[in-house]
Amino acid sequence: MKPLLLKMQAFGPYAKTAEVDFSHLGGSGLFLIHGQTGAGKTSLLDGLSFALFGTASGSERSADGLRSDFAAADLPTEVSLEFFLGEDRYLVWRQPNQIIEKKRGLTTSRTDARLSKWNGSDWDLIAAGAKKTDEAVVNLLGMTEEQFRQVVVLPQGQFRKFLAAGSDDREDLLERLFKTARFREIGEELEARARRVRSEYETARTERDALLATLDVASSIELQARIEALSNELSSSATGVTDLERRHSEASQALQSARKQFELREEFQRASNRRQALESRLPDHEALIERL
């Protein structure tokens, strides 16, 4: 966002109308508002902040209290700001709650605002009314009033208080100035998580010590050494089992061979007995042949 023209009427120290033409800054994206105390630096910041968001640039000042004490009773307080956003040109206009003198007496003028966009020849209304204008400006700029105050303008007077404050007050001022409460909350959350992790660690360590005592070892190093020793024993046992399986396989094969040899021997014995029986009947067979 690049400011172009700021107009302030009956606003702050300006009894009538004051204009600040930012176009004289050229293409500079960063500029400093400086001057002596009371020169009106804060008033310009208030004008910018009020035009965009309807609030003063400092948390100590109320938007309803920005009407000039020197303005004529019938001159309304209002602020307008023309600005560029990229290549587009916008105009935002606002007025706060105020009491204005009319022909029939004093009347209260309510907060009002409008946001328009330049179409090349005239202003096209985008939003009307304070609430709708607030939403439109936030959506357009992509930042809230607090974020605008943090990254675009720094309220005058806070650094003077900071330099004179004690350490605790200085921390509070920095927190309010730069809105660092969220970082403190993040730090507290991280500390809480660290405490939980430490508690879980202590619980796990207690359980580990109890398990080591159950296993009758003094430390995890000793437990690791015992595991390695048991692993070596297991490896040796596995080798022995493999050898026994080999020997069992060989014995099974030998048994099968012996059984087969035994069966052949029995069959041979039966054949021999039959042969002997046949040979013993041979004389009778020969005698029968002679008779025939």
Side-chain angles (χ1 to χ4, degrees):
M1 192 275 291
K2 180 181 178 181
L4 182 61
L5 180 63
L6 175 66
K7 292 183 180 180
M8 297 172 288
Q9 176 177 287
F11 182 84
Y14 306 109
K16 296 182 179 181
T17 301
E19 295 185 0
V20 180
D21 189 355
F22 291 94
S23 64
H24 295 304
L25 298 174
S28 176
L30 180 66
F31 57 89
L32 173 68
I33 299 176
H34 67 93
Q36 297 180 355
T37 301
K41 302 182 294 296
T42 302
S43 298
L44 294 182
L45 299 180
D46 285 341
L48 287 170
S49 181
F50 178 77
L52 292 171
F53 301 101
T55 60
S57 62
S59 58
E60 296 84 359
R61 296 180 296 279
S62 169
D64 294 340
L66 293 177
R67 175 171 172 78
S68 176
D69 296 331
F70 311 104
D74 60 346
L75 183 66
T77 297
E78 58 184 38
V79 178
S80 65
L81 173 67
E82 293 184 36
F83 62 93
F84 279 108
L85 191 64
E87 299 296 328
D88 297 324
R89 183 178 176 181
Y90 296 90
L91 170 65
V92 59
W93 169 89
R94 287 183 187 272
Q95 68 175 19
N97 289 326
Q98 55 189 311
I99 298 177
I100 302 297
E101 183 177 298
K102 298 291 185 178
K103 293 182 180 180
R104 298 181 180 179
L106 299 179
T107 183
T108 300
S109 177
R110 297 295 181 182
T111 299
D112 196 9
R114 292 191 300 271
L115 176 66
S116 304
K117 181 179 180 181
W118 183 252
N119 61 15
S121 59
D122 199 1
W123 294 102
D124 292 331
L125 184 65
I126 297 178
K131 184 176 181 181
K132 291 184 178 180
T133 300
D134 292 344
E135 296 175 351
V137 169
V138 170
N139 292 332
L140 190 65
L141 298 182
M143 67 178 74
T144 63
E145 177 268 334
E146 291 184 358
Q147 294 168 334
F148 177 82
R149 195 187 315 181
Q150 291 175 25
V151 301
V152 179
V153 297
L154 292 177
Q156 171 180 288
Q158 296 293 332
F159 286 107
R160 182 175 64 253
K161 293 181 181 179
F162 172 74
L163 293 175
S167 58
D168 294 338
D169 295 335
R170 191 175 301 177
E171 181 179 352
D172 293 338
L173 284 171
L174 285 174
E175 183 172 311
R176 286 193 294 109
L177 180 61
F178 296 105
K179 307 299 182 183
T180 59
R182 60 184 181 274
F183 299 111
R184 174 177 50 79
E185 293 172 356
I186 292 173
E188 292 174 352
E189 175 62 22
L190 291 176
E191 290 179 356
R193 291 185 183 181
R195 287 193 296 269
R196 290 196 297 269
V197 171
R198 283 194 295 268
S199 176
E200 293 173 358
Y201 167 75
E202 292 297 334
T203 300
R205 187 172 67 173
T206 301
E207 294 177 353
R208 183 205 63 182
D209 293 341
L211 290 174
L212 291 176
T214 303
L215 297 172
D216 194 22
V217 291
S219 65
S220 57
I221 297 177
E222 184 177 345
L223 177 61
Q224 184 64 30
R226 179 176 294 185
I227 291 174
E228 292 178 357
L230 291 175
S231 298
N232 294 332
E233 292 179 7
L234 179 62
S235 178
S236 300
S237 299
T239 303
V241 169
T242 302
D243 184 62
L244 289 175
E245 289 177 348
R246 179 184 58 78
R247 292 171 60 185
H248 177 267
S249 177
E250 293 176 352
S252 297
Q253 293 177 1
L255 178 61
Q256 292 293 334
S257 179
R259 284 177 177 176
K260 188 173 183 180
Q261 291 180 3
F262 179 75
E263 291 175 356
L264 291 175
R265 185 172 297 146
E266 285 187 341
E267 185 177 355
F268 175 75
Q269 187 63 40
R270 287 193 297 269
S272 297
N273 292 338
R274 185 179 180 186
R275 179 173 176 275
Q276 291 177 0
L278 291 174
E279 286 180 347
S280 64
R281 294 173 57 189
L282 184 57
D284 294 336
H285 182 66
E286 290 178 349
L288 180 59
I289 289 176
E290 286 186 15
R291 286 184 62 188
L292 290 176

